[in-house]
Amino acid sequence: MKKKQWGGRFAGSTDALMERLGESVSFDSRLALWDIRASRAHARMLGARGIISPEDSRAILWGLDAIEKEVKAGNVAWDVSLEDVHTNIEAMLIARIGNAGKKLHTARSRNDQIATDVRLWLRDQIDDLLQKLFALRQALVSLAEQYFHVVLPGFTHLQHAQPVLFAHHMLAYYEMFTRDRDRLCEVRKRVNIMPLGSAALAGTPHPIDREMVARELGFDGISANSMDAVSDRDHLIEFCSACALIMTHLSRMAEELVLWSSQEFSFIEIGDAFTTGSSIMPQKKNPDAAELTRGRAAGVIGDLMTLLALVKGLPLTYNRDLQEDKPPLFHAADTTLLCVEVFARMLQTVTVNENAMKRALQQGFLEATDLADYLVSRGVAFREAHEIVGRVVRRCLELQVTLPDLPMEEYQKFSGAFGSDLYEYIRPEVMVARRDVPGGTAPKQVRRALNRVKRVLKQEAEKN
Ligand code: ARG
């Protein structure tokens, strides 16, 4: 027997196909605990304002507590014919406490209810993500600290460019993830505004106290416009955008970890816990965690596109399309939380192969820029020095030697300005140390940067 439609308006029942299309409880039931919290605050306010009796308010609170326990215990059989998490919980409440339960929905609509639930849920996700980002930033700082003096080739165009400190490279990612953190904090401010009290779209004639509810739920304020409040999803788009950026940053790093752990580079080894073997090739140790994260970034970028496309054609105010905001939102949050946590842990298992990095420094003529600068310091114009060193490099290629191995008499053929002190001048450590500008890779500067970020992390830890 099919159930009759919800409410008195309908004589006929819903088509099974309509039910399949329309139900959201299969995915929004995960909002149940936040829905109950919001309902509790609403019920308390309704009682306090005399909109319902104190007894009814108390009965509702008691009923919600009981339902919350059931939800936490995983004992609830969600009914898709009741459409969504809100109607399911309301039906459970009425089944449990009778008439009083029918009064909970006074002065509210599912439109402001879902908007409120999602904001409460999202606020918790953001706080969780901020903590996981913190651990990730800490892991980067630990690596920077542990291998502080290691020098490796810095790349442009994936070609050897100039030597840099490994710590400098790690702190580059630290900066990205710190901006990601700042972005999330910014988004959180706009998420933490309460839509409840907007009702379906226009507000309610009942004498509600929105501030009271907002206070109980820990919102920073209440929405200013009921029509905006029930139909705006830009805070979700901002959140997914922040997630897409985090995933993009992780994906860039993943790409480097994959390259660095290849035989060709052998710069690092990722611990067994975050790599896997091959079902056929016994020698393999694959950087799957990094690869999967790189792959999952695609999905989160997709989530952002989905939300943008979902909202772009919608007239005010609530439209049922908005129910479709949840799968991409949940997916973006779940994926980003997981991948950030994975990276924080995986980085702790990374060991750096200093010798491989040192060997790599001998390839690609990383000293060329410094050699030109050397000539500049001897009075040669930079453009001319650039030309001379280019010819020296060509000579090295002919002789199959590196710049530090090229004998002085060879150098002399290209310019009389070359002296034997050039060999010291182009030692990797010396080259790195010369980049002594704020933001540069000189150990002095990187040490300063590292001390600064450690102070920042310490302050953040104390605040939480
Ligand atoms: N399940 C809906 C959603 O997620 C609830 C909101 C209101 N539904 C409605 N028919 N007015 O958007």
Side-chain angles (χ1 to χ4, degrees):
M1 251 286 278
K2 273 202 284 170
K3 281 187 193 160
K4 192 173 108 33
Q5 276 260 45
W6 206 69
R9 164 77 176 75
F10 293 89
S13 56
T14 320
D15 192 282
L17 276 173
M18 176 61 224
E19 191 175 289
R20 253 175 72 195
L21 178 66
E23 72 84 18
S24 59
V25 72
S26 57
F27 52 85
D28 67 17
S29 62
R30 71 184 282 178
L31 297 174
L33 293 176
W34 290 269
D35 187 74
I36 291 168
R37 271 177 66 191
S39 287
R40 206 180 262 137
H42 183 66
R44 210 167 271 146
M45 181 278 292
L46 290 177
R49 299 287 292 159
I51 300 168
I52 62 175
S53 71
E55 299 76 48
D56 285 343
S57 174
R58 267 199 300 279
I60 291 170
L61 293 176
W62 177 84
L64 289 173
D65 282 350
I67 295 168
E68 185 177 53
K69 282 200 192 84
E70 300 277 283
V71 171
K72 282 185 176 159
N75 286 340
V76 174
W78 301 103
D79 181 352
V80 289
S81 74
L82 289 173
E83 235 179 71
D84 58 24
V85 64
H86 320 297
T87 37
N88 264 272
I89 290 178
E90 192 178 330
M92 281 185 253
L93 185 70
I94 294 167
R96 204 173 269 272
I97 66 169
N99 250 345
K102 296 182 180 170
K103 298 185 180 172
L104 172 62
H105 211 54
T106 314
R108 79 173 185 190
S109 148
R110 282 185 295 164
N111 297 352
D112 60 345
Q113 195 179 351
I114 186 63
T116 303
D117 293 359
V118 170
R119 282 171 184 268
L120 285 174
W121 174 85
L122 186 54
R123 189 177 69 190
D124 286 351
Q125 306 308 303
I126 291 175
D127 290 342
D128 197 5
L129 188 49
L130 284 170
Q131 273 188 21
K132 293 190 160 77
L133 270 178
F134 182 85
L136 173 60
R137 289 156 65 222
Q138 231 169 7
L140 288 163
V141 168
S142 300
L143 270 177
E145 187 97 77
Q146 191 181 349
Y147 297 102
F148 186 83
H149 287 290
V150 174
V151 180
L152 78 161
F155 293 80
T156 61
H157 316 267
L158 200 58
Q159 309 278 327
H160 284 195
Q162 291 170 2
V164 290
L165 276 197
F166 176 78
H168 198 49
H169 200 123
M170 291 301 107
L171 289 184
Y173 283 107
Y174 171 89
E175 292 297 327
M176 293 178 226
F177 293 120
T178 302
R179 288 194 296 277
D180 289 331
R181 170 201 179 269
D182 295 344
R183 257 184 290 275
L184 278 175
C185 292
E186 196 51 42
V187 175
R188 192 188 190 283
K189 288 186 212 158
R190 282 185 285 280
V191 167
N192 205 25
I193 298 294
M194 189 187 76
L196 206 62
S198 304
L201 76 160
T204 170
H206 298 282
I208 58 172
D209 183 348
R210 297 187 66 200
E211 297 288 354
M212 175 185 169
V213 179
R215 260 195 314 279
E216 171 165 345
L217 294 174
F219 281 111
D220 293 330
I222 60 174
S223 55
N225 181 298
S226 61
M227 296 178 76
D228 175 45
V230 294
S231 67
D232 129 58
R233 295 295 182 271
D234 51 57
H235 54 297
L236 307 187
I237 293 172
E238 280 190 90
F239 172 73
C240 281
S241 165
C243 287
L245 259 172
I246 293 170
M247 291 303 294
T248 299
H249 289 153
L250 286 178
S251 185
R252 294 188 74 177
M253 188 165 201
E255 171 65 12
E256 287 199 332
L257 296 179
V258 170
L259 283 173
W260 285 5
S261 57
S262 71
Q263 273 73 48
E264 283 67 24
F265 279 82
S266 299
F267 280 6
I268 57 163
E269 190 172 335
I270 302 170
D272 291 357
F274 290 93
T275 50
T276 64
S278 154
S279 62
I280 174 167
M281 296 166 283
Q283 84 283 13
K284 293 277 272 191
K285 186 174 175 190
N286 299 325
D288 297 46
E291 294 171 88
L292 287 164
T293 300
R294 190 177 55 191
R296 292 226 181 169
V300 177
I301 292 168
D303 296 329
L304 172 61
M305 295 305 127
T306 303
L307 285 181
L308 285 166
L310 182 68
V311 173
K312 72 174 272 298
L314 296 184
L316 289 182
T317 56
Y318 179 84
N319 298 271
R320 192 62 184 279
D321 315 43
L322 291 174
Q323 181 165 293
E324 299 299 317
D325 63 357
K326 277 163 267 335
L329 173 67
F330 293 163
H331 180 261
D334 292 345
T335 308
T336 309
L337 276 161
L338 175 63
C339 292
V340 170
E341 190 168 13
V342 163
F343 258 64
R345 292 264 292 279
M346 177 173 62
L347 287 180
Q348 291 171 7
T349 74
V350 165
T351 50
V352 169
N353 184 349
E354 294 182 38
N355 288 329
M357 289 182 178
K358 206 172 262 169
R359 269 197 305 281
L361 288 170
Q362 291 159 19
Q363 288 151 21
F365 306 101
L366 288 150
E367 306 88 348
T369 318
D370 287 69
L371 215 44
D373 286 334
Y374 170 88
L375 290 176
V376 168
S377 75
R378 299 291 181 102
V380 182
F382 180 78
R383 197 40 70 208
E384 212 172 302
H386 185 284
E387 171 75 22
I388 293 168
V389 175
R391 274 188 266 127
V392 172
V393 167
R394 191 149 24 105
R395 181 69 181 142
C396 286
L397 285 167
E398 277 165 22
L399 298 175
Q400 296 195 4
V401 293
T402 62
L403 286 165
D405 288 341
L406 190 71
M408 186 42 67
E409 53 278 19
E410 285 290 338
Y411 275 110
Q412 286 287 327
K413 288 182 194 164
F414 296 94
S415 168
F418 284 123
S420 56
D421 56 345
L422 77 82
Y423 296 104
E424 172 63 14
Y425 199 88
I426 59 171
R427 270 205 310 118
E429 287 73 18
V430 177
M431 289 191 283
V432 165
R434 231 175 354 247
R435 264 76 187 172
D436 192 8
V437 292
T441 194
K444 208 172 95 193
Q445 296 291 344
V446 178
R447 176 57 68 194
R448 196 174 291 164
L450 196 52
N451 288 340
R452 180 180 56 81
V453 307
K454 275 160 63 183
R455 264 199 314 278
V456 168
L457 288 175
K458 194 159 163 267
Q459 278 164 6
E460 278 179 37
E462 280 162 8
K463 251 193 264 164
N464 291 326

